[in-house]
Amino acid sequence: GVPRCGASLHEPNKALRIELNANASCIWQIQRNANQTIRLIFSHFKFAPSSCGTESIKVFDGPSSDSPLLGQVCEDTDAVPVLESSSDTLTFLITTNSVPFTRNFFVYYYFFSPGSRTENCGGQLTGPNGTFSSPNYPATYPQFRYCVWHIQAPKNSKINLQFQDFFLELDRNCQLDFTAVYDGPTTDSGLLGKVCGRAQPTFESSSNMMTVVLSTDDSNSYRGFSAQYSSVPLPGPMEPNITLTCSSDSMRIVLSKSYLASLGFREAHLQLNDPSCRPIVTDSVIFSFPLASCGTIKKDEGHSITYSNTISMAPTGNVITRQKNTEIIAECRMKNNQTLEVIYTTTNNAIQKLAARGRYNVSMAFYESDLFSKPIQYSPYYVDLNQTLFAEVTLHSTDPNLQVFIDTCTASPQADFGSLTYDLIRSGCNKDDTVVTYPAFENHGRFKFRAFRFLRSFPSVYLQCDIVICDSNNTNSRCARGCISRQRRAISPYTWKTNTVVGPIRLKRDLRAAEHSESLTEVEAEKTPNLQQYNFYTLAFVVLISNILIVVAVILKHHKHQVGYSYQNVQSS
């Protein structure tokens, strides 16, 4: 009975099976009873492939999508998202892109009272080993429970978790009752697994912390589980055989000599695709070179670009029979706001794989003019109202075939870009009539605009830009498509997406006012003597006046005596 796209919900609990196709934008609003909290659980979600940048579920703590954002779910979300309201209404919005694909979601919610007895489950477990079980075990577990156990073993150990007895409601995607296990201290840690039905699952953490969740709905209840955990010491630190580091400028491969010796090779027999690129030999063997050199092969894979190079090694000595064919293939894969670094070691067709993570290096700065030669070196940046500002985003990469595209730029008086924002550019379209974007130039994205009206009302303004990086040779990339209206929005290949922030920007009149106020304060301080000086000057003035009065009195007395004497002489005459 729930509409296919959005609804207003008032029941105290409800499960929603949602199926959406392309270009959907649907809003569900949940209104709770007084003095209760809404708990919303996305126990199953299936988006279009490789869609995390273009479709999502957003959950808002209030009656609309303008309310504070509680959380966001997309294809790459490595958890079972559980969100709780702090207001009397909770809203979630599901948007999909234009790819023909059937999306499926299972969502359920219920109202509960925080701190009540029904919420009293889970807890903190510490020590090298321990046991715990579901509420009421071995009797049936209660409805609408959300229990979280945080396990912490001694340092330098990992946790082995074993469910000795496990019986939960069974369904295909474990979307009704389930247990989720996370590899770390919270449910934001990586998901090790989600289990339901009848089983005896085991899990192992990568550190001394693990989190276990039990979530139940209002349908069938069973025996639950009984579990025990134990700690296992982690092995001591060892020198890695191979490490690979990727940046937007270069690739760096470090090989240990002991590893090379175990393969029967010496550093003198190493070479890249370009044999002229030789390693630096210290305690280790190091290849460090720009991405676009040493025979590096670049491959555009739509939503990622891979740079790969191969280290080939010839055996020492004159081995004729059963020669080892060993290669080390190093890959830097740039995809969706991260760099995935992969090493494949192939020996007689056997492959070993190592991985790590890094980032592109992107920066943004203001410049004095459209020559973009002199960056503004000071902060805050004081400007006049309606002054033209010149902004440049730079990708620091040695690959000349990467293009920077400014997808969205937003201004806000808040450094964390809260609810109050002003769009300069949105989806590649100029939203402010003073914005002018410049043609793509090497690894730079440039635009100019006038100081906006925000500065009249707020003391500081920050600028945040979402940046898309594409292969400049791909004519169908997101960068090549430019401005995309909402109606025409669709997936377009891009290599990488991130954002960068610059600011604060302030009005010069505020600077002048501050300097004027400071100078006035200094002048007043010079003009105003202190209280001790004031008392001294007052006393001196009073003494001076007193002395003057005494002198005047003496003169008058003397003058009077002289006048009387003259009058007597006149009478005698």
Side-chain angles (χ1 to χ4, degrees):
V2 177
R4 176 175 170 272
C5 183
S8 181
L9 307 169
H10 302 274
E11 298 93 331
N13 61 81
K14 196 170 188 66
L16 308 174
R17 295 182 186 272
I18 301 170
E19 182 178 301
L20 296 176
N21 294 316
N23 300 316
S25 180
C26 307
I27 292 181
W28 284 262
Q29 185 190 83
I30 306 169
Q31 182 80 32
R32 68 165 168 78
N33 296 329
N35 301 321
Q36 287 189 305
T37 297
I38 305 166
R39 178 175 286 144
L40 179 67
I41 301 176
F42 295 92
S43 57
H44 176 69
F45 48 90
K46 187 175 183 180
F47 292 93
S50 304
S51 62
C52 209
T54 55
E55 56 183 39
S56 66
I57 305 169
K58 292 183 179 179
V59 183
F60 302 92
D61 193 11
S64 72
S65 57
D66 293 327
S67 304
L69 182 67
L70 271 180
Q72 184 168 336
V73 184
C74 72
E75 182 208 13
D76 293 343
T77 300
D78 189 22
V80 182
V82 179
L83 300 108
E84 297 177 0
S85 68
S86 63
S87 64
D88 59 358
T89 310
L90 191 147
T91 302
F92 66 94
L93 164 68
I94 305 182
T95 55
T96 64
N97 58 36
S98 62
V99 173
F101 186 84
T102 300
R103 290 86 168 162
N104 290 288
F105 310 93
F106 188 84
V107 187
Y108 66 91
Y109 74 89
Y110 55 88
F111 303 156
F112 71 99
S113 299
S116 64
R117 190 178 66 176
T118 58
E119 287 293 302
N120 187 21
C121 63
Q124 302 284 338
L125 301 171
T126 58
N129 52 69
T131 61
F132 60 101
S133 59
S134 56
N136 299 339
Y137 178 85
T140 57
Y141 48 79
Q143 300 175 346
F144 296 129
R145 287 298 177 93
Y146 185 72
C147 308
V148 182
W149 290 269
H150 301 281
I151 306 173
Q152 183 169 352
K155 291 183 178 180
N156 300 318
S157 67
K158 59 183 178 180
I159 298 169
N160 282 333
L161 176 65
Q162 187 172 35
F163 289 90
Q164 298 164 307
D165 185 23
F166 190 94
F167 191 2
L168 270 62
E169 183 177 8
L170 175 64
D171 71 277
R172 185 175 60 182
N173 296 312
C174 292
Q175 57 196 18
L176 303 174
D177 299 339
F178 62 86
T179 293
V181 181
Y182 296 89
D183 189 19
T186 69
T187 55
D188 292 329
S189 311
L191 181 67
L192 290 173
K194 185 173 72 164
V195 195
C196 62
R198 299 197 68 173
Q200 285 188 313
T202 60
F203 297 93
E204 184 176 270
S205 68
S206 61
S207 70
N208 67 323
M209 288 181 282
M210 179 183 280
T211 301
V212 181
V213 169
L214 170 66
S215 178
T216 70
D217 66 359
D218 64 336
S219 54
N220 302 316
S221 293
Y222 297 91
R223 190 166 59 243
F225 65 77
S226 173
Q228 68 174 13
Y229 75 90
S230 59
S231 57
V232 180
L234 287 170
M238 298 178 61
E239 178 188 11
N241 292 329
I242 311 174
T243 60
L244 169 64
T245 305
C246 299
S247 72
S248 51
D249 294 304
S250 62
M251 187 184 301
R252 177 182 171 89
I253 309 166
V254 180
L255 304 99
S256 69
K257 290 183 177 179
S258 59
Y259 175 65
L260 295 175
S262 70
L263 297 176
F265 298 101
R266 292 192 310 222
E267 54 268 18
H269 295 79
L270 303 180
Q271 64 180 26
L272 292 173
N273 289 343
D274 181 351
S276 65
C277 293
R278 308 297 297 174
I280 298 172
V281 180
T282 57
D283 293 338
S284 302
V285 179
I286 303 170
F287 285 95
S288 185
F289 51 95
L291 281 181
S293 67
C294 293
T296 302
I297 299 170
K298 175 181 172 183
K299 184 179 179 182
D300 185 356
E301 299 172 324
H303 275 270
S304 66
I305 287 181
T306 300
Y307 300 89
S308 64
N309 209 317
T310 302
I311 301 174
S312 57
M313 301 182 280
T316 56
N318 297 317
V319 179
I320 298 175
T321 60
R322 290 208 68 180
Q323 176 175 329
K324 283 185 178 180
N325 296 317
T326 301
E327 289 183 336
I328 296 176
I329 303 171
E331 290 185 358
C332 296
R333 191 172 302 151
M334 313 301 193
K335 178 182 179 181
N336 289 343
N337 204 15
Q338 64 185 15
T339 305
L340 180 63
E341 302 156 351
V342 183
I343 290 181
Y344 299 92
T345 305
T346 63
T347 304
N348 293 337
N349 297 322
I351 299 177
Q352 297 177 341
K353 177 179 174 181
L354 302 175
R357 295 192 182 276
R359 291 181 64 85
Y360 260 135
N361 184 8
V362 177
S363 64
M364 181 164 63
F366 289 113
Y367 283 77
E368 292 183 359
S369 70
D370 58 3
L371 297 177
F372 293 97
S373 58
K374 295 182 179 179
I376 303 299
Q377 302 283 6
Y378 48 85
S379 180
Y381 180 22
Y382 284 95
V383 302
D384 290 315
L385 196 62
N386 292 323
Q387 176 182 330
T388 300
L389 310 185
F390 302 92
E392 178 182 80
V393 177
T394 300
L395 166 65
H396 303 278
S397 174
T398 55
D399 186 346
N401 295 316
L402 291 180
Q403 181 180 350
V404 175
F405 178 74
I406 301 171
D407 181 80
T408 298
C409 274
T410 303
S412 175
Q414 302 165 337
D416 60 355
F417 288 80
S419 58
L420 189 61
T421 59
Y422 176 76
D423 283 350
L424 293 173
I425 303 171
R426 173 67 60 181
S427 300
C429 306
N430 296 342
K431 296 299 182 181
D432 183 282
D433 55 10
T434 68
V435 171
V436 176
T437 54
Y438 293 86
F441 174 70
E442 295 180 349
N443 290 347
H444 306 287
R446 295 169 171 174
F447 66 101
K448 67 178 180 179
F449 61 97
R450 288 185 185 173
F452 26 80
R453 290 180 289 273
F454 252 32
L455 286 167
R456 286 179 176 169
S457 305
F458 300 97
S460 298
V461 172
Y462 298 83
L463 187 65
Q464 176 176 271
C465 291
D466 292 339
I467 311 303
V468 175
I469 299 167
C470 312
D471 186 347
S472 58
N473 296 318
N474 187 343
T475 57
N476 193 39
S477 71
R478 172 68 190 92
C479 302
R481 295 188 65 187
C483 171
I484 299 180
S485 64
R486 187 173 183 85
Q487 291 74 20
R488 296 191 298 116
R489 196 167 299 166
I491 283 185
S492 299
Y494 59 83
T495 303
W496 201 71
K497 188 173 183 179
T498 187
N499 62 60
T500 183
V501 178
V502 69
I505 309 166
R506 295 177 181 170
L507 279 180
K508 282 184 180 178
R509 71 182 183 193
D510 297 333
L511 175 63
R512 290 192 291 266
E515 291 174 344
H516 181 63
S517 174
E518 185 178 345
S519 64
L520 282 179
T521 302
E522 292 174 355
V523 170
E524 290 299 326
E526 292 175 1
K527 288 182 178 180
T528 306
N530 60 33
L531 184 59
Q532 190 175 7
Q533 290 174 322
Y534 177 79
N535 290 337
F536 172 78
Y537 293 144
T538 303
L539 179 61
F541 180 74
V542 170
V543 171
L544 177 61
I545 293 298
S546 299
N547 290 337
I548 291 172
L549 290 174
I550 293 171
V551 171
V552 169
V554 171
I555 293 172
L556 288 175
K557 184 176 181 182
H558 179 71
H559 179 68
K560 182 178 180 182
H561 176 74
Q562 290 292 331
V563 170
Y565 177 77
S566 301
Y567 178 69
Q568 290 174 357
N569 288 339
V570 169
Q571 279 189 331
S572 300
S573 302

